[in-house]
Amino acid sequence: MFLDAFGSPIEVTPDNLHEYSYDLHGTKLLTSSDFEFYLPPKWHGTIYSTEELIQNYRKRFNPDPTLLTFHAMQPYEPEFICCERAVVELTALPAGQSLYSDSEILVFLVKQPARNTNILITKELGTELNFFPHDHHYHARIMDEGIDIVYVDDKIYNDPMTNYQQQRLYNVLSNIQPGTVMSLSGRPLPEVLRGACRKSSLAKEHNC
């Protein structure tokens, strides 16, 4: 998915391309090397992921190196990146293997200092649901600050593993206790997920 001008996630597809100005989307997050991602026409920017996912993606889809810029990140090591109207802190978090293949996947944490907001972005849930290892210094920091918004891809509810994925996502939310949970598409999520949100002003603002 892309990050918008303020560092919030946006899914851009051929169906909704007219809603966005593609030249503003200079940042894209690569969470898996299993699928070739959609790029708006004439898009220019940087694609962030780990070295392993980038190399696997290149081997599988052979992207044009003259059109795309890839930036390899170290897991759990935050980096400051510039969006159009904000500087955000981006961290790649390993999420184990995909449930649909043996490929490794990532989730991303975006810290928006100007908004004092921490956002966790998940495209799919893999074999690892503990994104913040207890033996890593990053865990204490995130647990202390808290996660304000968890973004999920609501397409996971449209496959045969629907109930299983919902339960796993509920477990993740119960452990993280975010302020609210939202779908990348903007469509409503199952009401049961809202019960895992902590009670806060942000949760009330988003009707969680």
Side-chain angles (χ1 to χ4, degrees):
M1 82 289 302
F2 295 90
L3 295 183
D4 68 11
F6 297 97
S8 295
I10 294 179
E11 282 280 60
V12 180
T13 68
D15 294 331
N16 67 10
L17 180 60
H18 66 281
E19 301 176 18
Y20 306 107
S21 177
Y22 62 79
D23 58 333
L24 300 182
H25 300 153
T27 302
K28 186 170 179 62
L29 310 182
L30 177 63
T31 61
S32 169
S33 59
D34 282 349
F35 305 100
E36 188 170 20
F37 48 72
Y38 172 76
L39 287 175
K42 302 179 182 179
W43 183 83
H44 292 284
T46 303
I47 298 167
Y48 293 83
S49 193
T50 60
E51 183 68 35
E52 179 181 1
L53 262 66
I54 290 173
Q55 292 302 327
N56 290 342
Y57 184 86
R58 283 173 165 163
K59 290 178 183 177
R60 183 164 186 174
F61 298 108
N62 192 30
D64 188 340
T66 65
L67 297 179
L68 303 179
T69 299
F70 288 90
H71 179 83
M73 304 180 67
Q74 291 294 323
Y76 309 114
E77 295 299 327
E79 295 189 26
F80 286 101
I81 64 171
C82 294
C83 298
E84 187 199 8
R85 300 183 183 179
V87 175
V88 300
E89 185 182 277
L90 179 66
T91 309
L93 306 174
Q97 289 185 334
S98 170
L99 299 182
Y100 308 98
S101 72
D102 59 358
S103 299
E104 298 295 317
I105 63 172
L106 297 174
V107 300
F108 283 90
L109 182 72
V110 179
K111 183 178 180 62
Q112 300 171 321
R115 297 180 172 181
N116 194 29
T117 300
N118 285 341
I119 297 174
L120 185 71
I121 306 170
T122 66
K123 281 287 290 182
E124 68 172 291
L125 295 177
T127 55
E128 178 59 66
L129 298 182
N130 177 24
F131 308 133
F132 313 107
H134 289 274
D135 59 351
H136 196 281
H137 66 86
Y138 200 65
H139 176 272
R141 174 192 167 186
I142 296 305
M143 292 300 100
D144 180 60
E145 294 180 359
I147 302 296
D148 300 296
I149 307 173
V150 172
Y151 279 92
V152 302
D153 188 345
D154 53 298
K155 289 195 294 291
I156 67 174
Y157 302 109
N158 298 324
D159 63 36
M161 302 178 72
T162 293
N163 292 334
Y164 178 57
Q165 286 281 35
Q166 284 190 14
Q167 183 59 52
R168 297 177 82 247
L169 180 55
Y170 184 86
N171 291 341
V172 169
L173 296 174
S174 296
N175 290 334
I176 295 176
Q177 288 282 291
T180 189
V181 57
M182 303 176 68
S183 66
L184 289 168
S185 70
R187 290 189 289 267
L189 290 169
E191 286 298 323
V192 65
L193 297 180
R194 300 185 182 279
C197 297
R198 69 176 184 268
K199 304 305 179 183
S200 68
S201 58
L202 181 61
K204 292 177 182 177
E205 178 183 340
H206 290 277
N207 299 318
C208 185

